[in-house]
Structure formats: structure tokens, C-alpha cells
Amino acid sequence: MTNRLIAFAGNIWDKIVSRYRAQSPVKKILYAGAFLAGFFIALFAALFILVWLGAFGALPGKDELRAVENPLATEVYSADSVLLGRYFIQERSNIAYTNLPEHLIDGVLATEDIRFYEHGAIDMRSLARVFFKSILLQQESSGGGSTLTQQLAKNLFPRKNYWLFSTPINKMREMIIASRLEQVYNKNDILTLYLNTVSFGDNTYGIEAAAQRFFSVRTKDISVEQAATLIGMLKSTYYYNPRVFPQRSQQRRNIVLDQMLKYGKLSEAEAEAKKRLPVTLRYNKITHHSGLAPYFREYIRPELREWCRSHTKPNGEPYNLYTDGLKIYTTIDSRLQRYAEEAMMKQMVSLQKVFLNHWGKKDPWQRDPELLKEAIKKSDRYRSLAAQGLSHDEIMKIMKSPVLMSVLMDSSEQEVMMSPIDSIRHYLKFLQAGMLALDPHDGSVRVWVGGINHHYFQYDHVRETTKRQIGSTFKPIVYAAALENGTDPCDFFSAAKVEYTNMQGWTPENTEDNYDRKYSLTGGLAYSVNTVSVRVLEQAGIDNTIALARRMGIDSDLPAVPAIALGAANISMLEMVRAYACFVNDGKRVEPFYITAIADRENHILENFKPERQTTQALSPEYAQMMVHMLKRTIDEGTGAAMRTRYNIDNDMAGKTGTTQSNADGWFMAMTPHLVVGAWVGADDPRIRFRTTALGQGARTALPIVATFFQKVNTDKELRRISQAHFPGLSHFQERRISCDLYRSDTNVFQRIFGKKEKEKETKRAFGEKEKKKRGFFRRLFGG
């Protein structure tokens, strides 16, 4: 059978060849042309059928196209519905057709597909126009041959490599997909999908993301000339990028305006006026560092990724944080967050200048030169070069060579020639800061500022893994433990020095010469008297104090030593604010709460979250309330008095300052009825610090951040609930218990009459041993 078919085909071929040879030369050419045309038509038809059948890869069906979802960034929102930022691989935002301005649509159609609403998926007239005008006459303004629907098909299903047949096969795929898209969507939907998927360069996709990137406006507010600039980029996103090639971009923009004029979308006067305008950008480089609360967004990212891994979409696949367009709703208040970031920036720019002037031409690490060597070896550049097998000397030679780099100077970024080593020296001198604020009643995080600049310093000084010495901010926990253990608020404690013989001669000292005084609990707390705090710890008991700290939410290691009374422990900002919130919350422990809901791209809620139910009564309500009112004295007349005198903050507020050894850390904690705020300032390396307490104390470094923050809050009428709130008053019994002087003189009547002061004698005893009271003749006679 096979042999017969071969013979039959051979006979036909012989007849065709013999007939062809018998023709004249002209007819031979016509026959050859017809044969080749038929061959290519047959080849095209066969190739088209193969593409349609999926021989070069499966094509999406109508059901798949109905559910088409372009990669979309996840958006993070504040409690007051303000966009904080996005998680993305490609910067992309969707926009509805109703938010597309008419002049934008006119510009796209006039430039890309003027007959979009008249033809189907394929426009044969456009294909002919491209052949004659674009190919033969080389007219740039003639437009492309692909319809918007075909371009959308290419955006949704990118082209593949098929070797010699890549172009025809990809074109056929796009034609088939475009035809199916036209059957699934109406024209407005197709136009919207196109504008949401098209690339504008700079890793930006979609008209909404492009408008915000290049002009810092929403698409609905974009001007005619701005829209024309972006539309012009569609021809070549890099070649016509206005950031890179402004003149070339302007020329292309004017072509778009001419197309709009040509098709009656602009009058001649309007077009000419727009063409005379320069291309003016308000470029907003949107990165993961951009927007409000970048440290907070980075903090919750791992938790959100874990959520995505454990939750699946309707198709059974797990959610993708970077491409599925989730909406994350948080407890952050955008107004408070903005005020906190502004307050930190203002204070830290000012404080950085003070710090640099304080050290002058000297390096802050002059007494510890190994610090710089350590920093160099820890740098990414050094490690990268070392991984390449270079020796230390070779690496140092490279790192001493100046290169062009972006450097943070004060609050702005500058391009400078600087060696990597000089860059390390530059950044080592920067003071850092952290600030956290939460609602003390349910733990809602309202403010999270982990550092001074997330682009240059990603280390978060708020999260629980970042621990620093906390200084005197731990003292309220000591005093609260003493109250629980039976100490009366009006018990007075001597401020005299003591050398503790069972603590290797440890002798706490005060920042002021106040050793001849006695302080009540309130006074010792208000003036942060170290010697008194150690005596209070003796009354409270170290184990009792640590147990209370644990109940209040401090999980860090707490050394069971007397120095804990002075804040020798390393504790995170998150733990400290949580503990202080316990005072305001009537002694109940609160857990930080920051995500309220997660929704899909259509804003359908996938899961709601609620704060943890408060079950731990860490401190009795009576003592918690008394501690708040005792700490109000710290703000009114103690170490935090600058809030009143220097910054004129009149809010009902309690608080505590803190300064660690050698001024390495400055702290300030503030409590109001609806907001507990903590702030910390210091260098990343504690060895870099101010040399004097006058400059390095928490009242000078951290307190101004909180003060400036509340100045802004107090001027915002929408935040009156916070700024005008008042703590509940104490009961008559509680008020009597804390009503006493802050301090009194520890001198006898003779010394008070004659103005003579005994030379301060330092006593020696073991910590925990009952203090002996020595009473002289005049004290026995007159008391005191």
C-alpha cells in the first residue's frame, strides 16, 4: 500500500515538472510564485493550527482568562486607612476604569490604537498601515500593528524563545489569546487591564505606580502633559525614560500630544501650550524603605510570609506575599507615626551636630582603636572581598581607594567621592534612635520607629531582639515591688553612700551631691536617686522585683544583683513599653497587637485578628495607680521636668528618664491615659558615646523626641482623645498615702542652726543587712 502511494505521488510530481518545463519563462515565474505563496500559506496555516492546539505550550482558556490576575504588590494600611507601604517584586498597583482620566485614555488610544473600540482582537487595517507607513515610509508616528488587546496578551503571557520561529509563533499566540480576551472582557475592562499591566521601566508596572513614581500623583489627578510623558514611554521604557533622557522624553511626549491633536482630542492651542512646557518630574523612588513605618513593615514581614505559607487560595496554592495583592490592616496610626518620624528626624539631626562638635577632630573611638578595625572586618565589602580569596592587605588597599557613592549627610543623601573605609568611619559616628508607642489598654501598636533612616540603617532598635542597658527606667519596677512588699510611699530613705562589702566593694553614686538628704519613695523616683533606689531594692527584694518584671512582660535575662536597681539589665524597647503599659492598665499585663485583618486583592477579608485577652494581673490596681501618680511628679518637678519647662507640654503625663553607665544609652518613657511612649538614643556600638552626662543623659537625648512628638499631637484636633485625656484620680486613702515631701535634709538641728555640715562618711555593710541608725546627742535630744 505504501509503495503504491509513493508511486502515485511520484507520477503527479513528474507531470507537474514536465508541464512547468513546457511553459514560457514568464509563466515559469508566475508558477513558481504561486507555488511559494501556496507553500507559505500552507505552512502558516499548519503552524497556526499547531499553536492553537498547544504544540508550543498550552494556551489559556476562557476560564483561566476570566480569573487572570497580574502580579500585584501587597499593601499595608494604617488603622486610619492610610497606605503605609508595599511588599513587591515589581512595583505595581491596580486602578479601576472609573479612575482613569479622559485625557489619559485619549492619549493612549491616539498613540497606540485609535480604532480600539471599532475593531476586534486583530486590526487588519493597522497591519496594512504598519507595512506601508512604518516599514516603507519610516514614519515614527504611524503607530504599531498590534492592537491593545494583543499587547495585553503579551503583557499577561510574556513571549518565549522558539529559535527561528519565535516571532511568528509568539505573534500567533498573542492573536489567539487576544481573540479569547475579547470574548471574555468588554473593551473598558481590556483597556483597564492593559494600563494595569504595562511596564514603565524602573521596575514599575501599571499606570498608577508610574504616576506615583515619576510625578508623585495619583492617576486620577495626572495632568495632560504628565499623561503624555508616560504614554510616550510605552514605545521604549528606557529610551524615553524622562529621568534618564529628559530631552528625548520631551520629544516623544510632544509626538503623543500631536497624535491627540490629530484625532481631535486636543485643540491646537492646547497642544502647542502643552508642548512648550518642560518635563518636570517629582520622582519618588518607591522601595521597601519608602513610606511610613518601614521598620514596622519589615518587622511584620516574616509573620506575614508564614501566614501566606499556611493559607491557600481558591486554586489550592499558598498565597504569595509579593504577587497576590493582599491588603494588610494594622493598628498603626498614620498621624502619630508621621509625627513620631518627624520628631525623631528633627531631634537627631540637631543632636548629631552636637555630638560631632562635642568630639571635634577626635574620633569617638580614640580610646579603643580596635573598634574601627572590627567595624571594617564586619563590613559587607570586606567580607565580599575576603570571600574572593584576597588577603587583608589587598582588601585594605581596595577599601582605601575613593569611589563615587551615595552617602547620608544629616538628613539628606549626597553623591560624593569617598573610600569605603572613610564611609565606615562616617557611619560609625552616627547616633541611632528608636521609638515605640502603644495603647496601654489593648496593646495596639500606634507608632513604631526603629531607626533614623531605614535605607542606610536597617537595624531595628525597637524589636524584642534588640536589647540595650535601660538605666533608671527600670527603677519604677523596683519601687512597685517595694510597695507590694509593704513599703509605704512616704517612708524616707537615706541617700548616703554605702560600700557593699559582699558586692566586691560596690558603691553606688548619684549624679548630684545629694547624699545628705532623705527621700520618700516618690522623691527617690522623681529625682532618680541611685543610692535610694538600691535601698528600696533591699526592701523589695531582688527575687520579688524580678518576678514582678516577668509578670509585667519583661522576658530578657535579669541578673539577680543589686545593680539591677540602676538598670544594669539589657532589655528591649518593646518589653519596656509593654511593662510601663501595665501601670496605666491598672496593673494588667498587655501584649503588643499590630495586625487587625488580612484581605485579598478584592478586599474580601481572609482573617480577622483580635488582641489577646488580658488575664495576668501583674500588679494590684491600687499600686499601679499609685505608681502612675508618683511618676507624674517626675514630669512635674523631677528629672523629666523639661517636658513642662522647656517644651511646654501640659498633658496629664507620667514618665521616667534613664541614662546608662558612661552615657552610652539615653531613655525616656512617657505615660498618658491612652498612649505609652518609649524613646531610646545611642550609637550602635555602646563604646561610642558622649563624654559628659550633661549632654548624654536621657533628658537631653531621648526626652526631646517624645516632647516634640507630643507638641505635634497637641496641635492636631483629631487627636484630642489622646492629648486631652486625664488619668483617673486617686481615692482619698491613696492620695493620703502618697502625700508627703519628696525629700528632706538628713542633718541635725545643730547643723541646721549653725549651717555646719558633717563630712560625708561612707558606711560599709553587706547588701541586705539591716542598716544601723547612728544617732548623735543632738539627734537624740531634738530628733531628726
Side-chain angles (χ1 to χ4, degrees), residues 492-500 507-508 515 517-519 530-539 746 760-775 779:
F492 279 77
F493 294 82
S494 171
K497 282 185 183 180
V498 176
E499 179 184 332
Y500 294 100
T507 306
Y515 301 105
R517 292 178 180 175
K518 285 186 176 181
Y519 289 85
N530 291 338
T531 53
V532 170
S533 297
V534 176
R535 284 181 167 91
V536 173
L537 178 65
E538 289 184 281
Q539 293 277 354
D746 197 19
E760 178 63 35
K761 292 182 180 180
E762 184 178 297
T763 60
K764 294 184 179 182
R765 65 178 175 84
F767 181 84
E769 179 184 340
K770 189 172 182 180
E771 193 164 12
K772 296 178 182 179
K773 294 185 178 181
K774 296 181 179 179
R775 295 166 64 90
R779 290 199 181 192

Side-chain angles (χ1 to χ4, degrees), residues 513-527:
D513 184 16
N514 53 5
Y515 301 105
D516 61 334
R517 292 178 180 175
K518 285 186 176 181
Y519 289 85
S520 63
L521 276 191
T522 306
L525 198 54
Y527 291 106

Side-chain angles (χ1 to χ4, degrees), residues 274-508:
K274 301 296 183 185
K275 286 166 66 175
R276 284 194 294 268
L277 295 173
V279 174
T280 304
L281 300 182
R282 288 185 59 201
Y283 192 80
N284 177 25
K285 186 177 181 180
I286 301 172
T287 69
H288 294 296
H289 311 297
S290 307
L292 288 171
Y295 291 92
F296 170 74
R297 287 185 275 118
E298 188 58 34
Y299 176 77
I300 65 174
R301 184 201 297 261
E303 188 173 329
L304 293 172
R305 291 182 66 179
E306 183 60 35
W307 185 93
C308 289
R309 280 192 287 267
S310 61
H311 292 75
T312 56
K313 296 180 284 188
N315 64 6
E317 296 179 358
Y319 281 99
N320 187 306
L321 181 63
Y322 306 100
T323 60
D324 282 332
L326 298 174
K327 299 182 187 300
I328 313 299
Y329 295 98
T330 73
T331 61
I332 294 290
D333 186 296
S334 69
R335 297 157 299 185
L336 295 175
Q337 180 70 29
R338 183 175 293 106
Y339 295 154
E341 292 182 10
E342 291 171 353
M344 179 178 288
M345 177 64 68
K346 179 180 179 181
Q347 163 64 0
M348 294 310 294
V349 169
S350 174
L351 188 64
Q352 188 64 42
K353 293 177 181 177
V354 173
F355 184 72
L356 294 177
N357 289 334
H358 171 67
W359 282 98
K361 295 181 179 180
K362 297 178 181 178
D363 290 325
W365 55 86
Q366 61 175 355
R367 294 184 180 179
D368 192 354
E370 291 299 314
L371 188 152
L372 177 61
K373 296 177 182 178
E374 293 171 11
I376 291 172
K377 290 185 177 180
K378 289 179 182 178
S379 68
D380 292 337
R381 192 181 295 259
Y382 186 97
R383 290 178 176 179
S384 175
L385 294 172
Q388 298 174 30
L390 276 67
S391 68
H392 173 75
D393 291 340
E394 290 172 327
I395 294 173
M396 293 301 291
K397 183 178 180 180
I398 293 173
M399 293 186 68
K400 288 179 180 178
S401 301
V403 295
L404 183 65
M405 63 175 69
S406 296
V407 177
L408 181 65
M409 298 286 190
D410 293 333
S411 60
S412 61
E413 184 179 285
Q414 297 180 21
E415 294 280 336
V416 298
M417 290 295 294
M418 181 181 286
S419 73
I421 287 182
D422 285 339
S423 171
I424 293 171
R425 295 170 62 93
H426 174 70
Y427 288 121
L428 273 177
K429 297 177 182 179
F430 269 80
L431 294 176
Q432 304 297 328
M435 183 175 177
L436 177 69
L438 56 78
D439 186 318
H441 302 293
D442 65 3
S444 296
V445 174
R446 301 304 186 193
V447 167
W448 186 302
V449 189
I452 60 174
N453 186 303
H454 192 260
H455 179 73
Y456 287 94
F457 305 103
Q458 277 100 52
Y459 193 72
D460 188 345
H461 294 280
V462 169
R463 63 171 62 226
E464 58 267 50
T465 55
T466 303
K467 304 176 190 293
R468 295 293 290 246
Q469 274 200 358
I470 48 160
S472 296
T473 55
F474 191 79
K475 289 176 181 176
I477 299 174
V478 176
Y479 283 65
L483 289 177
E484 276 197 322
N485 204 38
T487 303
D488 192 87
C490 285
D491 285 347
F492 279 77
F493 294 82
S494 171
K497 282 185 183 180
V498 176
E499 179 184 332
Y500 294 100
T501 56
N502 58 342
M503 295 293 161
Q504 298 180 333
W506 177 58
T507 306

Side-chain angles (χ1 to χ4, degrees), residues 213-283:
R213 171 64 66 93
F214 290 97
F215 300 109
S216 297
V217 298
R218 305 299 295 267
T219 302
K220 63 181 181 180
D221 301 318
I222 200 169
S223 66
V224 173
E225 64 274 12
Q226 289 171 340
T229 301
L230 295 180
I231 294 166
M233 295 177 67
L234 298 178
K235 186 174 180 65
S236 176
T237 57
Y238 178 74
Y239 191 80
Y240 295 113
N241 189 315
R243 177 181 61 83
V244 184
F245 306 110
Q247 186 174 357
R248 194 182 293 165
S249 172
Q250 183 173 352
Q251 294 171 352
R252 177 63 186 167
R253 178 204 66 183
N254 291 348
I255 290 175
V256 174
L257 293 172
D258 284 337
Q259 288 295 103
M260 295 177 72
L261 170 63
K262 175 182 176 181
Y263 292 109
K265 306 301 182 183
L266 286 178
S267 68
E268 186 171 355
E270 288 176 316
E272 289 303 318
K274 301 296 183 185
K275 286 166 66 175
R276 284 194 294 268
L277 295 173
V279 174
T280 304
L281 300 182
R282 288 185 59 201
Y283 192 80

